[in-house]
Amino acid sequence: ARSFSSVAPSASIKKVPKHPFSLLVTLEFQDSNAKQEFLKAIEPVAAYVHSKEPTTLSYQVLQSDQNPLQVLLLERYADKEKAYLQIHKSSEDFLKFRPILQKLSEQGRVKISGSSYLDSDIGFMDRHWNNLLQVQTRILSGTSVQEG
């Protein structure tokens, strides 16, 4: 393990939001062709989000193990206002994808339902996020930061 010397708190360090914003979107497809059309359209969006949106903490397409025509899109952002509304929803790849999904919906080929959530501080979503909060707390308090 490497030890870094104490770092004084700085006004330039922006506080990581305490409660990330999540969307859980369920998509129920009419047939496998509609599902494949969706998967083909969402793949470049997921790749873009992974490489270009560091404030998107998770962006995962989950396929049901019980219903082959059901998909759950799990989206988790550092915050709602900036990471989700300003950055993600205005990205070029999202803006290309959205009309494809809308067309599938208007044609009756997919039913979309979903809800949004804020973290409750009970349990954990991913270890990376918890580690980020711990490092931030150490930096802001002026204590040593360990790298393991």
Side-chain angles (χ1 to χ4, degrees):
R2 260 201 209 149
S3 179
F4 293 96
S5 60
S6 294
V7 178
S10 167
S12 66
I13 296 175
K14 294 192 178 180
K15 187 169 179 168
V16 175
K18 179 128 173 87
H19 298 287
F21 173 75
S22 297
L23 291 174
L24 299 176
V25 181
T26 302
L27 301 106
E28 182 84 36
F29 295 94
Q30 183 182 43
D31 55 45
S32 60
N33 289 336
K35 179 182 168 186
Q36 290 307 314
E37 198 172 318
F38 165 81
L39 293 174
K40 182 179 177 184
I42 194 84
E43 191 170 353
V45 178
Y48 176 88
V49 167
H50 184 261
S51 66
K52 304 285 186 187
E53 293 183 19
T55 56
T56 300
L57 307 173
S58 299
Y59 198 85
Q60 184 78 38
V61 176
L62 306 169
Q63 298 187 56
S64 173
D65 64 343
Q66 298 175 6
N67 179 347
L69 297 178
Q70 188 178 72
V71 168
L72 176 72
L73 182 56
L74 184 150
E75 304 175 47
R76 189 164 180 252
Y77 302 90
D79 64 85
K80 182 177 182 177
E81 295 305 317
K82 185 165 182 156
Y84 173 63
L85 293 174
Q86 291 177 22
I87 297 172
H88 178 70
K89 287 192 77 176
S90 66
S91 72
E92 184 178 336
D93 283 66
F94 176 81
L95 293 173
K96 287 181 192 173
F97 163 75
R98 192 68 182 114
I100 296 168
L101 182 59
Q102 186 172 353
K103 183 178 175 185
L104 286 169
S105 178
E106 288 170 355
Q107 293 172 339
R109 298 176 66 207
V110 64
K111 290 181 186 173
I112 305 168
S113 62
S115 295
S116 60
Y117 302 87
L118 296 174
D119 282 16
S120 68
D121 292 333
I122 300 172
F124 70 95
M125 176 62 81
D126 59 55
R127 295 186 190 283
H128 180 291
W129 180 254
N130 290 332
N131 291 340
L132 180 62
L133 290 175
Q134 290 171 3
V135 167
Q136 171 193 286
T137 300
R138 288 182 189 137
I139 289 171
L140 292 175
S141 69
T143 59
S144 294
V145 177
Q146 296 286 327
E147 180 180 84

Short mmCIF file of all heavy atoms in Angstrom, two decimals, residues 18-20 76 118-131 133-134:
data_model
loop_
_atom_site.label_atom_id
_atom_site.label_comp_id
_atom_site.label_asym_id
_atom_site.label_seq_id
_atom_site.Cartn_x
_atom_site.Cartn_y
_atom_site.Cartn_z
N LYS A 18 -24.13 13.45 -1.96
CA LYS A 18 -24.34 12.38 -0.99
C LYS A 18 -25.32 11.33 -1.49
O LYS A 18 -25.20 10.17 -1.16
CB LYS A 18 -24.82 12.97 0.33
CG LYS A 18 -25.09 11.96 1.39
CD LYS A 18 -24.37 12.30 2.66
CE LYS A 18 -24.75 11.39 3.78
NZ LYS A 18 -24.00 10.19 3.88
N HIS A 19 -26.30 11.73 -2.26
CA HIS A 19 -27.34 10.80 -2.69
C HIS A 19 -27.41 10.73 -4.22
O HIS A 19 -28.08 11.54 -4.83
CB HIS A 19 -28.70 11.22 -2.12
CG HIS A 19 -28.73 11.19 -0.64
ND1 HIS A 19 -28.77 10.02 0.08
CD2 HIS A 19 -28.70 12.18 0.27
CE1 HIS A 19 -28.78 10.29 1.37
NE2 HIS A 19 -28.72 11.60 1.51
N PRO A 20 -26.74 9.76 -4.80
CA PRO A 20 -26.85 9.59 -6.25
C PRO A 20 -28.30 9.36 -6.68
O PRO A 20 -29.13 8.91 -5.90
CB PRO A 20 -26.00 8.36 -6.53
CG PRO A 20 -25.01 8.34 -5.42
CD PRO A 20 -25.78 8.83 -4.22
N ARG A 76 -27.50 4.97 -13.08
CA ARG A 76 -27.18 5.59 -11.79
C ARG A 76 -26.22 6.74 -12.04
O ARG A 76 -25.17 6.57 -12.65
CB ARG A 76 -26.55 4.55 -10.86
CG ARG A 76 -26.39 5.04 -9.44
CD ARG A 76 -26.14 3.84 -8.51
NE ARG A 76 -25.99 4.27 -7.15
CZ ARG A 76 -24.85 4.26 -6.49
NH1 ARG A 76 -23.75 3.82 -7.06
NH2 ARG A 76 -24.80 4.68 -5.25
N LEU A 118 -33.48 7.94 -5.08
CA LEU A 118 -32.29 8.50 -4.47
C LEU A 118 -31.74 7.47 -3.50
O LEU A 118 -32.51 6.76 -2.85
CB LEU A 118 -32.61 9.80 -3.71
CG LEU A 118 -33.11 10.96 -4.56
CD1 LEU A 118 -33.52 12.12 -3.68
CD2 LEU A 118 -32.04 11.39 -5.56
N ASP A 119 -30.42 7.39 -3.39
CA ASP A 119 -29.80 6.44 -2.46
C ASP A 119 -30.27 6.72 -1.03
O ASP A 119 -30.45 7.87 -0.64
CB ASP A 119 -28.28 6.55 -2.51
CG ASP A 119 -27.68 5.85 -3.71
OD1 ASP A 119 -28.42 5.54 -4.67
OD2 ASP A 119 -26.47 5.61 -3.69
N SER A 120 -30.42 5.65 -0.25
CA SER A 120 -30.90 5.76 1.13
C SER A 120 -29.78 5.67 2.17
O SER A 120 -30.04 5.84 3.35
CB SER A 120 -31.90 4.64 1.41
OG SER A 120 -31.22 3.38 1.40
N ASP A 121 -28.57 5.38 1.74
CA ASP A 121 -27.44 5.15 2.65
C ASP A 121 -27.54 3.84 3.41
O ASP A 121 -26.86 3.64 4.41
CB ASP A 121 -27.25 6.31 3.65
CG ASP A 121 -26.80 7.59 2.97
OD1 ASP A 121 -26.16 7.49 1.90
OD2 ASP A 121 -27.09 8.67 3.49
N ILE A 122 -28.38 2.93 2.97
CA ILE A 122 -28.48 1.60 3.55
C ILE A 122 -27.96 0.61 2.51
O ILE A 122 -28.47 0.55 1.40
CB ILE A 122 -29.93 1.25 3.94
CG1 ILE A 122 -30.47 2.25 4.96
CG2 ILE A 122 -30.03 -0.18 4.46
CD1 ILE A 122 -31.95 2.12 5.25
N GLY A 123 -26.93 -0.15 2.86
CA GLY A 123 -26.34 -1.09 1.91
C GLY A 123 -25.37 -0.38 0.98
O GLY A 123 -24.90 0.71 1.27
N PHE A 124 -25.05 -0.99 -0.15
CA PHE A 124 -24.16 -0.37 -1.12
C PHE A 124 -24.51 -0.82 -2.52
O PHE A 124 -25.06 -1.89 -2.73
CB PHE A 124 -22.68 -0.67 -0.80
CG PHE A 124 -22.26 -2.09 -1.02
CD1 PHE A 124 -21.67 -2.49 -2.20
CD2 PHE A 124 -22.44 -3.04 -0.02
CE1 PHE A 124 -21.28 -3.79 -2.40
CE2 PHE A 124 -22.04 -4.35 -0.22
CZ PHE A 124 -21.46 -4.73 -1.41
N MET A 125 -24.18 0.05 -3.48
CA MET A 125 -24.45 -0.26 -4.89
C MET A 125 -23.20 -0.80 -5.56
O MET A 125 -23.24 -1.78 -6.25
CB MET A 125 -24.94 0.99 -5.62
CG MET A 125 -25.16 0.81 -7.10
SD MET A 125 -26.41 -0.39 -7.54
CE MET A 125 -27.89 0.56 -7.33
N ASP A 126 -22.10 -0.11 -5.34
CA ASP A 126 -20.84 -0.59 -5.89
C ASP A 126 -19.72 -0.11 -4.98
O ASP A 126 -19.83 0.90 -4.32
CB ASP A 126 -20.63 -0.12 -7.33
CG ASP A 126 -20.64 1.38 -7.48
OD1 ASP A 126 -19.85 2.06 -6.79
OD2 ASP A 126 -21.42 1.88 -8.29
N ARG A 127 -18.67 -0.86 -4.96
CA ARG A 127 -17.58 -0.53 -4.06
C ARG A 127 -16.83 0.73 -4.49
O ARG A 127 -16.34 1.48 -3.67
CB ARG A 127 -16.62 -1.70 -3.95
CG ARG A 127 -17.32 -2.88 -3.30
CD ARG A 127 -16.39 -4.02 -3.02
NE ARG A 127 -17.13 -5.18 -2.62
CZ ARG A 127 -17.67 -5.37 -1.41
NH1 ARG A 127 -17.55 -4.45 -0.50
NH2 ARG A 127 -18.32 -6.47 -1.14
N HIS A 128 -16.78 1.00 -5.78
CA HIS A 128 -16.11 2.18 -6.29
C HIS A 128 -16.71 3.45 -5.68
O HIS A 128 -16.00 4.33 -5.23
CB HIS A 128 -16.18 2.23 -7.80
CG HIS A 128 -15.49 3.43 -8.40
ND1 HIS A 128 -15.97 4.70 -8.24
CD2 HIS A 128 -14.37 3.54 -9.11
CE1 HIS A 128 -15.17 5.56 -8.85
NE2 HIS A 128 -14.19 4.87 -9.39
N TRP A 129 -18.02 3.57 -5.67
CA TRP A 129 -18.68 4.76 -5.15
C TRP A 129 -18.37 4.95 -3.66
O TRP A 129 -18.04 6.03 -3.22
CB TRP A 129 -20.19 4.67 -5.36
CG TRP A 129 -20.91 5.87 -4.83
CD1 TRP A 129 -21.66 5.95 -3.70
CD2 TRP A 129 -20.92 7.19 -5.39
NE1 TRP A 129 -22.14 7.22 -3.52
CE2 TRP A 129 -21.71 8.01 -4.55
CE3 TRP A 129 -20.34 7.76 -6.51
CZ2 TRP A 129 -21.93 9.35 -4.80
CZ3 TRP A 129 -20.57 9.10 -6.76
CH2 TRP A 129 -21.35 9.88 -5.92
N ASN A 130 -18.45 3.86 -2.90
CA ASN A 130 -18.14 3.95 -1.46
C ASN A 130 -16.69 4.38 -1.25
O ASN A 130 -16.41 5.20 -0.38
CB ASN A 130 -18.41 2.61 -0.77
CG ASN A 130 -19.90 2.31 -0.69
OD1 ASN A 130 -20.72 3.21 -0.67
ND2 ASN A 130 -20.23 1.04 -0.68
N ASN A 131 -15.76 3.86 -2.04
CA ASN A 131 -14.36 4.24 -1.92
C ASN A 131 -14.15 5.71 -2.26
O ASN A 131 -13.38 6.40 -1.60
CB ASN A 131 -13.47 3.37 -2.81
CG ASN A 131 -13.39 1.94 -2.33
OD1 ASN A 131 -13.66 1.65 -1.17
ND2 ASN A 131 -13.03 1.05 -3.22
N LEU A 133 -16.28 8.16 -1.86
CA LEU A 133 -16.75 8.97 -0.73
C LEU A 133 -15.77 8.94 0.43
O LEU A 133 -15.52 9.96 1.07
CB LEU A 133 -18.13 8.47 -0.25
CG LEU A 133 -19.29 8.75 -1.20
CD1 LEU A 133 -20.56 8.11 -0.65
CD2 LEU A 133 -19.49 10.23 -1.39
N GLN A 134 -15.15 7.79 0.71
CA GLN A 134 -14.18 7.68 1.79
C GLN A 134 -12.94 8.52 1.50
O GLN A 134 -12.43 9.22 2.37
CB GLN A 134 -13.79 6.22 2.03
CG GLN A 134 -14.91 5.40 2.64
CD GLN A 134 -14.58 3.92 2.67
OE1 GLN A 134 -13.49 3.50 2.29
NE2 GLN A 134 -15.54 3.12 3.13
#
